[in-house]
Amino acid sequence: MKMKSSEEIYISPHHLAQLQTKYMPGNKYSFNSSTPRTRLERLLRERELRKFNQSFHLSNEARDGNGEGDPSGSDSPNEGDNFGIQNEEEFPEGFTEGRTTSKQRLLVVANRLPVSAVRKGEDLWQLEISVGGLVSALLGVKEFEARWIGWAGVNVPDEIGQKALTKALAEKRCIPVFLDEEIVHQYYNGYCNNILWPLFHYLGLPQEDRLATTRSFQSQFDAYKKANQMFADVVNKHYQNGDVVWCHDYHLMFLPKCLKEYNIEMKVGWFLHTPFPSSEIHRTLPSRSELLRSVLAADLVGFHTYDYARHFVSACTRILGLEGTPEGVEDQGKLTRVAAFPIGIDSDRFVQALELPQVQNHITELKERFAGRKVMLGVDRLDMIKGIPQKILAFENFLEENPNWRDKVVLLQIAVPTRTDVPEYIPDIKLVHMMKYYEVLVVAAAISTLRLAPQGESISLTMKDQKLTSQVHEIVGRINGRFGTLTTVPIHHLDRSLDFHALCALYAVTDVALITSLRDGMNLVSYEFVACQASKKGVLILSECAAQSLGAGAILVNPWNITEVAASIGYALNMPADEREKRHWHNFMHVITHTSQEWAMTFVSELNDTIFEAELRTRQVPPLLPTKDAIERYLQSNNRLLILGFNSTLTEPVDNIPGRRGGQIKEMELKLHPGLMEPLKNLCDDPKTTVIVISGSDRGILDDNFSEYNMWLAAENGMFLRLTTGEWMTTMPDNLNMDWVDSVKHVFEYFTERTPRSHFELRETSLVWNYKYADIEFGRLQARDMLQHLWTGPISNASVDVVQGGRSVEVRAVGVTKGAAIDRILGEIVHNRGMKAPIDYVLCIGHFLGKDEDIYTFFEPELPSEPAAAARTKVVEPVKTSSTKVSSTSRSGSKASRGKKHQALSTLEKRTCNSGSASGSGWRPTVRENTSLHEGSSVLDLKSDNYFSCAVGRKRSKARYLLGSLDDVVTFLKDLAEFSRPC
């Protein structure tokens, strides 16, 4: 059956596997398994799917005779310079009405829509396609149903106009965000263009009066957040389950957070089209932390190059103190994937354009005009980061050093005016005309067949652009006056853009392209030049300071080194033909394979896979604590045990101190959270409740915070114990060897002296070195060196455990864990209180190190018939005899509880057995045959539904449940105390 040309071919992944098996047996990526096992296998399979769909679509077009469609598109994204501008009225296929499809929807959210709106009446709007590489990039994304959300670029205050514009844009699958003039002024012209853009390009923050700057920063940032929330409101209104939301550029850094607050399940990606600065530059931004955390709410964060991705991860690590991994940034178990996705161009559009008659006419005209001379080309936006003065000075240096080339080479420099649509940037008209008159005087000879802007046409310039233009004109005039003649000049400088056909022709006749950006996003002029060089095979000189992926075939230069750039010009002009061809081949193959369409498809594919990976990780994350159920079962029980951690569980938060670094002293002096004082007192005063605070801190810290409460304190991971009304006692084993302490102490002192802002604690059973507030990367290096030294020296033969925390190193005796100590602690508590009934409810909450999480598993009943992994979701009730209730045995994960043989009965058990009542009616522990019993474990009669173990802020935990933060702990304990208060 012959398909119509309008029909679209789409192969699902399921059918792709069948087709690959049947028709592509030789493909090593033809996975026979229906479910790829690894992330790489999934991405490779997705890549094969895209290739197969594309080839199938192209072959169908060839059969129908539709393979030579006129390509549509526009220039590059916001940052990458791409001047292939075409005035076309058609829109990308993905944004036109009239198709019904069940494909996944893609919501593209950018500051500007791909169309410009012009009002022709009260309810009449004219739409014209705008310049923007995202349109071109999404042309080939046929696997998704795309919709674009953004600002239309006009102020529409009336409701009639808004409704009419919304209806007109809906036909193009565009959805407007209406921003008023004040928001645009503060958000776009202010925070985006005056603060973020200069900072991201290493130009620093505006140098103004300090107080005025602070006020403007805050007001502009408030407008920035408000505008991002307005974008989020529109996205939320049109979002459907399963949609992919793709946010673009620095204008919308706050958007991912807003979207996730609306729907945590939303698939959100964010891509930056500019450079991302180093952490030392980014830390100068007053709102640095808030912006970083907002971006981290996205599932996938993309950059043009690995350098920019690395800078982002470094900023999150150094400024936020988060964990940087090869995959991205991890925050309490949540991973935000960070990766590089270099954008490209629609190379077929440029290759095909060279065959058009109007382009061929331009090529012939240019060849005649510059016959006998080598043509060098520079195409840049009129911006200080593009390095136009440095480029021209380097060319002057080349002419000075090479007199024989002075009449054999010409530099054509196209300087495209920027920000022509921002009202603030409209210049002083007198100054513009003065500049145009000055240009006529100094570069009159430069006026050639390359048409200038019509006489009297004004060019919008900022004050900085005006200064830059004046500087460039002065340099050009001086060089032309020095090396030019009455008929020829070495530099032709144009302050205007060229149409698409003229630009393609100019690319085609160029011998050397010179791109010398001082700091840039992905500069796509180099891609366009390579795509148009099939016959000429010209040489590309490319700045190493711009995002680029053409290093294999280009000559990379430091744009600030004028001498180096001049030498590279000479090398390029004298390059042998065979070397030019090899370099061009490397560049051309990269350009045609790394297209803008492939960029978009790769990003969306990675985003979908990131969501899949996150779902796999989520299955391993404990569910949130069912607070209502925990409170109800607490009220129904008769003998309750509450085990609470201290640090990061009951402590006063340090985040409320201005600046993250300001909390070091406060964190070293741990204090009880003020909001927990009354709830803890109520819980401790309940005769049915026993409260234990167990901590790795020493005895003095616990005494200072809890001496007024009726509770049990377990210091140094349970090695010391006391009731607040009694004296401290030790639960340490008799054979605990501490001879290693002095030697480890000397090592810790040495590294503390060599690591600024680090400190160590000397405890009676352990030593802890903490580098949380030191430089993160330096602290990690020091910790690695410390561990290497410890293992080969002081503790090489000692019975110790080395416990690595997030920003700490702890050395403790073998077997010293909270789980190993809890059974001995329970024995002492039962003996002290003279319990007559078993404990039937246990609540254990803490932010414990992984080594100490055996305290959670201690209370889990044994499951001989169930896999160990099922303990969290299904726990059987303890075994019962005919006469007494029997506890389950402990499953402590420590070496002490699993690797050694425990004594049959503890001291407490012996006392209880010897002093039992004559009638035998009193409760006493019993032991099952062939079951090893831990000290204190026999006081439990714990059903699965009455045990609640809960990790605080640790999503990878052995606990059954999760509490997200310290605030959640405070809220839960307040509710527990309130409900348990007697009526």
Side-chain angles (χ1 to χ4, degrees):
M1 180 182 70
K2 182 179 176 69
M3 297 183 181
K4 297 179 182 180
S5 60
S6 60
E7 290 182 341
E8 194 166 321
I9 309 299
Y10 179 73
I11 309 297
S12 67
H14 173 71
H15 293 123
L16 173 67
Q18 298 177 356
L19 289 169
Q20 286 175 327
T21 304
K22 184 174 181 180
Y23 298 108
M24 297 183 288
N27 188 341
K28 65 180 179 180
Y29 298 127
S30 301
F31 306 110
N32 294 325
S33 173
S34 60
T35 304
R37 292 165 296 178
T38 65
R39 176 173 176 269
L40 182 58
E41 284 184 359
R42 290 194 300 271
L43 293 177
L44 289 173
R45 185 169 181 172
E46 183 70 20
R47 181 172 177 266
E48 288 298 308
L49 170 63
R50 293 200 305 270
K51 286 188 174 182
F52 189 80
N53 276 325
Q54 291 171 0
S55 61
F56 203 91
H57 184 72
L58 290 174
S59 62
N60 182 66
E61 283 186 341
R63 287 195 302 270
D64 289 347
N66 294 328
E68 295 297 328
D70 184 24
S72 65
S74 60
D75 73 341
S76 69
N78 305 348
E79 180 61 23
D81 288 343
N82 174 325
F83 298 101
I85 300 172
Q86 191 172 9
N87 296 323
E88 301 177 7
E89 294 300 323
E90 59 180 288
F91 285 79
E93 183 179 355
F95 295 99
T96 55
E97 267 310 338
R99 291 191 304 164
T100 57
T101 176
S102 60
K103 299 176 182 178
Q104 185 179 28
R105 294 206 320 169
L106 176 64
L107 302 183
V108 180
V109 191
N111 177 62
R112 290 293 297 270
L113 290 172
V115 295
S116 297
V118 179
R119 194 164 192 171
K120 297 296 184 179
E122 185 179 19
D123 59 351
L124 182 62
W125 291 88
Q126 177 182 339
L127 304 180
E128 298 179 355
I129 192 168
S130 301
V131 296
L134 287 179
V135 182
S136 176
L138 295 171
L139 278 174
V141 184
K142 302 181 183 299
E143 287 80 0
F144 298 92
E145 178 188 345
R147 282 177 168 79
W148 199 301
I149 298 176
W151 177 46
V154 292
N155 180 33
V156 189
D158 59 298
E159 186 176 351
I160 295 178
Q162 291 183 3
K163 289 183 178 179
L165 180 57
T166 301
K167 182 178 180 181
L169 289 172
E171 299 177 359
K172 309 302 180 184
R173 296 204 174 185
C174 293
I175 303 169
V177 178
F178 294 106
L179 305 176
D180 58 50
E181 291 183 352
E182 179 61 24
I183 288 290
V184 171
H185 172 71
Q186 294 275 1
Y187 145 72
Y188 181 64
N189 300 340
Y191 198 79
C192 292
N193 288 337
N194 191 47
I195 296 178
L196 289 183
W197 189 90
L199 187 76
F200 283 9
H201 289 83
Y202 290 79
L203 300 179
L205 296 174
Q207 297 298 319
E208 303 173 4
D209 175 75
R210 292 181 181 272
L211 183 59
T213 303
T214 302
R215 289 173 176 172
S216 63
F217 278 176
Q218 189 57 48
S219 62
Q220 290 172 8
F221 184 57
D222 291 341
Y224 182 85
K225 291 191 292 185
K226 182 178 180 180
N228 276 247
Q229 185 61 55
M230 295 171 71
F231 275 86
D233 293 340
V234 176
V235 174
N236 297 337
K237 181 179 179 181
H238 294 85
Y239 174 80
Q240 299 176 6
N241 288 337
D243 288 356
V244 173
V245 183
W246 192 0
C247 312
H248 287 272
D249 230 357
Y250 58 93
H251 310 88
L252 302 176
M253 295 180 72
F254 213 76
L255 183 57
K257 178 183 178 182
C258 298
L259 295 176
K260 287 292 187 176
E261 288 176 348
Y262 171 77
N263 185 353
I264 193 64
E265 302 296 331
M266 190 180 295
K267 301 178 181 179
V268 180
W270 182 79
F271 190 89
L272 182 66
H273 293 276
T274 69
F276 192 89
S278 69
S279 59
E280 292 305 307
I281 297 295
H282 186 76
R283 71 167 60 252
T284 62
L285 187 64
S287 52
R288 59 192 188 183
S289 298
E290 199 166 357
L291 285 180
L292 288 176
R293 290 198 179 275
S294 300
V295 171
L296 287 176
D299 301 291
L300 176 64
V301 177
F303 299 89
H304 280 310
T305 69
Y306 172 73
D307 279 348
Y308 301 156
R310 178 173 56 86
H311 289 164
F312 177 80
V313 173
S314 177
C316 294
T317 300
R318 292 176 174 273
I319 296 174
L320 300 181
L322 302 180
E323 186 73 21
T325 70
E327 291 79 22
V329 179
E330 186 173 350
D331 182 10
Q332 296 183 352
K334 179 191 180 298
L335 176 66
T336 299
R337 191 175 298 279
V338 180
F341 302 91
I343 198 173
I345 62 171
D346 184 2
S347 55
D348 291 341
R349 176 186 173 211
F350 287 87
V351 173
Q352 295 169 8
L354 295 178
E355 305 298 327
L356 299 177
Q358 53 267 51
V359 176
Q360 289 295 321
N361 293 337
H362 280 299
I363 292 176
T364 302
E365 184 181 1
L366 290 171
K367 286 183 177 179
E368 292 176 356
R369 175 67 181 84
F370 299 112
R373 306 174 73 184
K374 293 282 187 177
V375 177
M376 296 179 59
L377 176 64
V379 181
D380 303 280
R381 295 193 185 276
L382 186 61
D383 213 317
M384 64 188 72
I385 67 169
K386 299 301 181 180
I388 297 177
Q390 289 80 0
K391 177 192 305 184
I392 298 174
L393 291 174
F395 183 64
E396 179 184 25
N397 184 282
F398 168 76
L399 295 178
E400 289 177 348
E401 300 293 333
N402 300 272
N404 56 314
W405 276 102
R406 291 177 182 176
D407 57 349
K408 297 178 183 179
V409 64
V410 59
L411 172 63
L412 307 180
Q413 177 59 51
I414 312 298
V416 181
T418 185
R419 298 185 181 93
T420 58
D421 58 343
V422 181
E424 259 191 351
Y425 295 132
I426 297 177
D428 186 338
I429 299 299
K430 294 181 180 179
L431 180 59
V432 173
H433 284 290
M434 179 183 73
M435 286 185 176
K436 293 183 67 64
Y437 178 73
Y438 175 74
E439 179 183 0
V440 172
L441 291 179
V442 298
V443 290
I447 302 176
S448 61
T449 55
L450 296 175
R451 297 180 298 278
L452 283 170
Q455 184 67 29
E457 178 181 332
S458 63
I459 303 172
S460 296
L461 304 170
T462 67
M463 292 301 296
K464 293 180 180 179
D465 291 340
Q466 293 169 2
K467 182 178 180 180
L468 177 63
T469 301
S470 177
Q471 179 186 11
V472 171
H473 287 180
E474 180 181 354
I475 298 174
V476 170
R478 175 169 54 78
I479 296 175
N480 283 342
R482 180 180 177 187
F483 299 107
T485 65
L486 291 176
T487 56
T488 61
V489 289
I491 301 178
H492 291 232
H493 181 267
L494 302 181
D495 285 324
R496 55 155 296 174
S497 61
L498 298 179
D499 64 71
F500 175 69
H501 297 142
L503 188 61
C504 289
L506 197 54
Y507 285 142
V509 301
T510 297
D511 296 281
V512 178
L514 196 54
I515 311 297
T516 58
S517 302
L518 305 180
R519 183 68 59 181
D520 210 349
M522 186 62 73
N523 192 301
L524 298 180
V525 171
S526 56
Y527 284 64
E528 296 174 355
F529 166 74
V530 170
C532 296
Q533 282 287 309
S535 59
K536 195 80 171 183
K537 300 193 172 47
V539 182
L540 175 63
I541 300 178
L542 190 59
S543 168
E544 62 186 22
C545 297
Q548 45 78 25
S549 301
L550 299 175
I555 300 176
L556 297 181
V557 296
N558 177 3
W560 294 97
N561 191 333
I562 303 300
T563 304
E564 179 186 352
V565 177
S568 298
I569 292 174
Y571 182 77
L573 292 174
N574 292 288
M575 185 178 293
D578 59 340
E579 183 180 351
R580 287 206 315 270
E581 187 168 352
K582 289 179 182 178
R583 287 177 175 269
H584 170 73
W585 174 253
H586 279 288
N587 290 337
F588 187 73
M589 291 305 297
H590 181 88
V591 169
I592 64 175
T593 55
H594 294 75
T595 62
S596 54
Q597 294 84 7
E598 185 66 22
W599 163 77
M601 283 302 307
T602 301
F603 185 91
V604 177
S605 175
E606 286 266 3
L607 177 57
N608 278 321
D609 189 76
T610 299
I611 299 296
F612 181 77
E613 285 274 318
E615 291 175 353
L616 293 180
R617 289 193 301 272
T618 302
R619 296 173 188 173
Q620 303 172 0
V621 174
L624 293 177
L625 176 67
T627 55
K628 182 178 180 181
D629 186 41
I631 294 175
E632 287 180 356
R633 295 197 171 272
Y634 175 89
L635 297 177
Q636 295 169 5
S637 58
N638 296 314
N639 193 4
R640 311 141 182 167
L641 177 64
L642 271 57
I643 303 175
L644 306 175
F646 181 44
N647 197 357
S648 299
T649 305
L650 304 178
T651 51
E652 183 179 6
V654 296
D655 296 338
N656 56 4
I657 300 178
R660 186 181 70 88
R661 302 283 179 175
Q664 180 174 5
I665 300 300
K666 189 170 183 178
E667 185 167 313
M668 293 172 63
E669 299 177 356
L670 299 176
K671 298 294 183 182
L672 177 64
H673 194 292
L676 288 174
M677 292 180 179
E678 184 177 351
L680 270 183
K681 186 178 186 306
N682 294 335
L683 292 172
C684 293
D685 291 342
D686 188 340
K688 293 183 179 181
T689 303
T690 302
V691 179
I692 306 174
V693 173
I694 186 168
S695 173
S697 301
D698 59 39
R699 291 178 281 178
I701 292 178
L702 296 186
D703 282 336
D704 292 341
N705 287 278
F706 300 103
S707 59
E708 298 179 359
Y709 297 87
N710 182 25
M711 63 168 60
W712 287 85
L713 304 178
E716 300 203 21
N717 299 306
M719 293 299 100
F720 297 96
L721 177 70
R722 87 171 179 106
L723 184 63
T724 50
T725 57
E727 299 296 329
W728 283 101
M729 66 188 78
T730 180
T731 62
M732 288 190 294
D734 295 335
N735 59 348
L736 194 64
N737 187 349
M738 301 296 292
D739 294 340
W740 48 268
V741 171
D742 289 338
S743 57
V744 173
K745 176 185 175 184
H746 293 316
V747 176
F748 277 20
E749 288 176 341
Y750 172 79
F751 278 93
T752 300
E753 293 172 357
R754 293 175 56 84
T755 311
R757 300 181 70 94
S758 69
H759 65 278
F760 81 94
E761 298 177 51
L762 176 60
R763 301 169 181 171
E764 295 184 59
T765 59
S766 64
L767 289 91
V768 182
W769 182 66
N770 190 301
Y771 59 94
K772 178 178 180 179
Y773 290 93
D775 180 272
I776 298 298
E777 295 183 6
F778 183 61
R780 287 175 181 165
L781 293 175
Q782 292 291 81
R784 185 185 63 184
D785 291 345
M786 173 190 287
L787 291 172
Q788 290 176 348
H789 179 73
L790 288 175
W791 284 121
T792 58
I795 63 173
S796 57
N797 297 315
S799 297
V800 298
D801 283 331
V802 177
V803 183
Q804 287 186 264
R807 300 286 187 271
S808 65
V809 176
E810 181 177 358
V811 180
R812 61 171 73 158
V814 168
V816 177
T817 67
K818 293 178 173 67
I822 194 64
D823 57 345
R824 297 191 294 272
I825 294 174
L826 287 179
E828 295 295 341
I829 292 176
V830 174
H831 171 63
N832 180 277
R833 294 191 60 172
M835 285 187 180
K836 300 301 182 182
I839 295 173
D840 58 354
Y841 178 94
V842 175
L843 172 66
C844 183
I845 302 177
H847 180 84
F848 301 131
L849 296 173
K851 184 75 173 177
D852 293 321
E853 287 204 337
D854 55 358
I855 193 173
Y856 298 136
T857 59
F858 174 85
F859 294 98
E860 294 282 5
E862 284 287 355
L863 297 177
S865 61
E866 295 285 338
R872 177 180 297 159
T873 57
K874 182 179 180 181
V875 182
V876 299
E877 295 183 15
V879 179
K880 297 181 181 180
T881 66
S882 58
S883 59
T884 57
K885 297 180 180 180
V886 184
S887 75
S888 64
T889 58
S890 166
R891 293 193 296 129
S892 173
S894 68
K895 296 179 181 178
S897 60
R898 288 196 288 186
K900 294 183 179 182
K901 200 170 187 180
H902 290 267
Q903 57 189 23
L905 292 176
S906 67
T907 305
L908 166 69
E909 292 163 346
K910 293 177 181 178
R911 290 173 182 169
T912 308
C913 293
N914 293 331
S915 60
S917 62
S919 62
S921 59
W923 172 85
R924 63 186 181 87
T926 59
V927 186
R928 279 187 296 170
E929 273 190 56
N930 302 324
T931 301
S932 65
L933 187 63
H934 296 233
E935 296 181 54
S937 61
S938 59
V939 302
L940 300 174
D941 180 27
L942 189 62
K943 295 182 180 180
S944 174
D945 292 341
N946 277 12
Y947 175 48
F948 297 88
S949 58
C950 187
V952 180
R954 292 178 62 91
K955 295 185 178 180
R956 296 177 183 177
S957 173
K958 297 177 183 178
R960 290 186 174 189
Y961 304 107
L962 174 70
L963 280 173
S965 66
L966 175 59
D967 292 335
D968 296 331
V969 176
V970 174
T971 301
F972 171 66
L973 292 181
K974 282 183 177 179
D975 292 341
L976 189 66
E978 181 67 25
F979 282 104
S980 64
R981 181 180 299 175
C983 298

